[in-house]
Amino acid sequence: MIFDLPEAHALVAKQDLPIPAWLFAWAASIVLIASFFALAAAWRKPQFEEESWRPSAAWLTTVLRSWPLQVLCGGLGVFLLGVGIYSAIHGTEAPDRNFAITFFFVTAWIGFPFASALLGNVFPIFNPWRAIARVAGRAHSLVARRRMPHLAYPEKLGRWPAAAGLLGFVWLEVVYGSSGGVAVGLEPHAAGVAACVYSVYTLTMMALFGTDVWCSRGEIFSVYFGMFSQLAPFGLKDGRIGRRRPLAAATHWATTVPGSTAVVIASIASTSFDGAEDGAYKQGLAHVGSWIEGLGVGPLATIRITDSLFMAATVLAVAGVYLLGVKGMRSVPGAPAFRTLTRGFAHSLIPIALAYLVAHYFSLFVYQEQAQFTYLFSDPLGTSTTDLFGTAEYGIDFNALTPNIIWYVQVAALLVGHVVGLTLAHDRALVYWPDYRRASRSQYWMLAVMVAFTCFGLYLLSVGGA
Amino acid sequence: MALPLAHIGHWLWVFYVIPILIVIAGIIRSTRAEKKREREEAEGKKPR
């Protein structure tokens, strides 16, 4: 069979697929191209510029926005943050046995994007720093008999602090943590210290600029999870919970706030790097690492410097592909300014960021959440001296997902994410180019961007390490 | 006779790049054709 090629040194895929993995990339590309022509022919007026928000039943808002629920959920967030920090600092140094690592880097970091994309912005009610800041602010008001004064947030900064923080968080997890064959290799003690430092930093910023302002601009998790919540059919308006057209809220998320494009680029790039580090980049990392070590740098510093360089290169590459697409759109007569296009189409990358997240992490989430809700809750310190809920001896059932199921979910996630992204981009193009023919022509380049991201994502997943 | 393809695995990434190259080639071809048509329309409208 022509496709049965002997592979002397290549990484062997773990799946047992009926066709080679690269053919899935070709099939996905064909679906994207077909979607492009379908959109060009049938989608001639913008559909997502209006949210079509409709209020839900009043009792829902009353219950979900009530102060007892706010106190309960905020208190739960603070409690779990505290358990995480305590476990990290006083528990086992084995990352896979310590509550903190799975809770911070899997349950929260991966769970909240999934939940936000489906249910809307659910993180604020659980945000521990927001809860602490609100209590502190209320206490200050009672004692000082006036609201705490805040500095005006420099709007030119926009969401850049969140973008930088997002990269810093992933750098801590993937680069600083030494991967030792476990799901997340960061030492728990380092994670605990980082959580403490981040808590002090966040509460200071909230005190300076105001809780709501910092949460909407600089607090990493609020901005990151809030980005995915723009895709959801549920939202908050004037203090009332309601339903809206799915995806519609995303159309204005990036247009006015600087740094929003950077947040979504950082999300795609950091997920890509995490997937590529043990797969596609392996040989390159080894070559560059050897060169750096030859300069007299120690082994651990060599790994971190090499990984940091490749992570930075991935960010630049993802940003470069997107900006090339924007530049291509500029070539169509009637195109707005480059900056307008860059911000105007950034929201079309949000479904791609979510698709990358699902593709790279959903199997990790399925496996590690088994641990989270069994032995990690019963023995959070991982010292085998406690069994709070009688599940300390449980294990992970790795047969819950077969390699083929994982691959098919990954392909489906990437395909759906990119088709949705293409649709959002086409819809925005109709705003900038009212002539639907010109709008479709402008999207040739976004099609190339989407095909590039799809093939790149599938390549990363196919060479293992994902 | 076996084909000397033992190291083909190092070049699998090429198969993932091909769809991107095809799309870019299509874009360039389509853009050139449209510019040529616009130029011909503009020349056809010019007074002799």
Side-chain angles (χ1 to χ4, degrees):
Chain A
M1 175 102 175
I2 191 169
F3 298 124
D4 251 348
L5 303 171
E7 296 166 324
H9 302 297
L11 293 167
V12 178
K14 301 174 187 66
Q15 309 91 356
D16 180 23
L17 300 173
I19 56 174
W22 55 264
L23 265 183
F24 284 88
W26 284 37
S29 301
I30 290 169
V31 170
L32 280 169
I33 293 166
S35 302
F36 171 81
F37 285 112
L39 287 166
W43 197 294
R44 298 190 180 181
K45 289 206 181 309
Q47 302 291 330
F48 290 120
E49 292 300 305
E50 293 297 323
E51 283 186 27
S52 303
W53 188 86
R54 299 178 306 284
S56 295
W59 66 265
L60 197 64
T61 300
T62 306
V63 168
L64 293 179
R65 302 263 298 161
S66 63
W67 72 261
L69 193 65
Q70 302 263 338
V71 168
L72 185 68
C73 294
L76 182 63
V78 174
F79 173 71
L80 289 172
L81 176 67
V83 170
I85 291 175
Y86 186 84
S87 311
I89 291 175
H90 294 287
T92 178
E93 279 303 294
D96 55 336
R97 300 291 311 184
N98 194 302
F99 171 87
I101 298 299
T102 296
F103 181 71
F104 290 155
F105 294 101
V106 183
T107 306
W109 183 247
I110 302 173
F112 270 112
F114 292 165
S116 301
L118 291 172
L119 302 172
N121 205 5
V122 295
F123 179 66
I125 201 173
F126 294 100
N127 186 341
W129 303 289
R130 178 175 175 265
I132 295 170
R134 290 178 94 189
V135 168
R138 186 65 62 88
H140 177 274
S141 299
L142 285 172
V143 169
R145 295 181 189 274
R146 62 185 175 93
R147 291 171 68 89
M148 186 183 283
H150 299 299
L151 299 174
Y153 183 78
E155 275 309 316
K156 280 187 181 175
L157 265 186
R159 294 185 171 122
W160 282 104
L166 171 55
L167 289 175
F169 179 87
V170 177
W171 182 90
L172 181 74
E173 176 197 356
V174 179
V175 176
Y176 186 82
S178 50
S179 187
V182 294
V184 177
L186 181 66
E187 289 171 0
H189 192 267
V193 170
C196 290
V197 169
Y198 184 73
S199 298
V200 170
Y201 160 72
T202 298
L203 292 171
T204 304
M205 290 295 125
M206 285 176 171
L208 284 175
F209 298 114
T211 305
D212 291 339
V213 169
W214 187 247
C215 283
S216 71
R217 295 289 187 265
E219 204 279 286
I220 303 169
F221 307 101
S222 298
V223 171
Y224 183 61
F225 302 147
M227 177 181 75
F228 293 113
S229 75
Q230 305 303 305
L231 304 174
F234 305 105
L236 193 68
K237 200 170 193 176
D238 301 325
R240 185 96 186 256
I241 293 172
R243 284 170 296 154
R244 61 193 177 196
R245 184 170 291 173
L247 312 177
T251 55
H252 301 288
W253 182 79
T255 49
T256 54
V257 182
S260 302
T261 309
V263 173
V264 68
I265 296 279
S267 172
I268 296 173
S270 56
T271 311
S272 302
F273 173 73
D274 194 7
E277 198 200 6
D278 286 332
Y281 286 176
K282 206 165 185 174
Q283 285 187 338
L285 286 166
H287 284 312
V288 174
S290 301
W291 181 76
I292 291 176
E293 202 171 15
L295 299 175
V297 180
L300 191 59
T302 296
I303 292 172
R304 288 176 178 163
I305 291 170
T306 312
D307 282 358
S308 300
L309 288 172
F310 272 70
M311 186 172 167
T314 307
V315 173
L316 291 174
V318 171
V321 168
Y322 175 64
L323 292 175
L324 275 175
V326 172
K327 191 155 169 54
M329 283 193 274
R330 280 281 294 156
S331 67
V332 177
F338 185 84
R339 178 185 273 191
T340 304
L341 286 175
T342 304
R343 290 184 183 178
F345 285 89
H347 70 290
S348 69
L349 300 183
I350 299 175
I352 297 170
L354 183 65
Y356 266 52
L357 213 66
V358 171
H360 284 271
Y361 297 126
F362 98 95
S363 57
L364 170 71
F365 189 76
V366 168
Y367 294 141
Q368 284 306 117
E369 289 311 290
Q370 294 179 54
Q372 178 74 88
F373 285 96
T374 55
Y375 61 84
L376 290 177
F377 267 141
S378 278
D379 182 18
L381 300 182
T383 53
S384 304
T385 54
T386 49
D387 190 357
L388 299 170
F389 302 102
T391 56
E393 296 302 316
Y394 282 40
I396 297 174
D397 178 14
F398 287 101
N399 293 322
L401 296 170
T402 64
N404 277 14
I405 287 177
I406 293 172
W407 173 254
Y408 291 136
V409 170
Q410 290 171 331
V411 172
L414 285 178
L415 188 56
V416 169
H418 286 85
V419 169
V420 172
L422 197 66
T423 306
L424 284 175
H426 180 86
D427 194 76
R428 176 48 57 83
L430 290 167
V431 174
Y432 292 141
W433 291 273
D435 176 358
Y436 72 91
R437 284 171 291 246
R438 282 244 172 108
S440 299
R441 192 171 135 193
S442 76
Q443 292 310 293
Y444 289 167
W445 294 101
M446 284 308 281
L447 172 64
V449 168
M450 299 297 172
V451 170
F453 281 148
T454 302
C455 291
F456 177 57
L458 285 172
Y459 172 65
L460 292 182
L461 294 168
S462 70
V463 293
Chain B
M1 179 179 142
L3 293 169
L5 297 172
H7 297 270
I8 192 75
H10 293 301
W11 299 99
L12 276 176
W13 61 269
V14 174
F15 291 101
Y16 292 88
V17 173
I18 288 172
I20 306 167
L21 295 176
I22 291 173
V23 168
I24 291 174
I27 290 170
I28 293 171
R29 186 168 175 271
S30 179
T31 305
R32 278 187 175 167
E34 283 179 28
K35 282 189 173 165
K36 185 181 174 189
R37 192 170 56 245
E38 283 170 3
R39 204 167 45 240
E40 285 169 357
E41 280 176 6
E43 284 170 3
K45 284 179 183 169
K46 270 186 187 171
R48 290 177 186 273

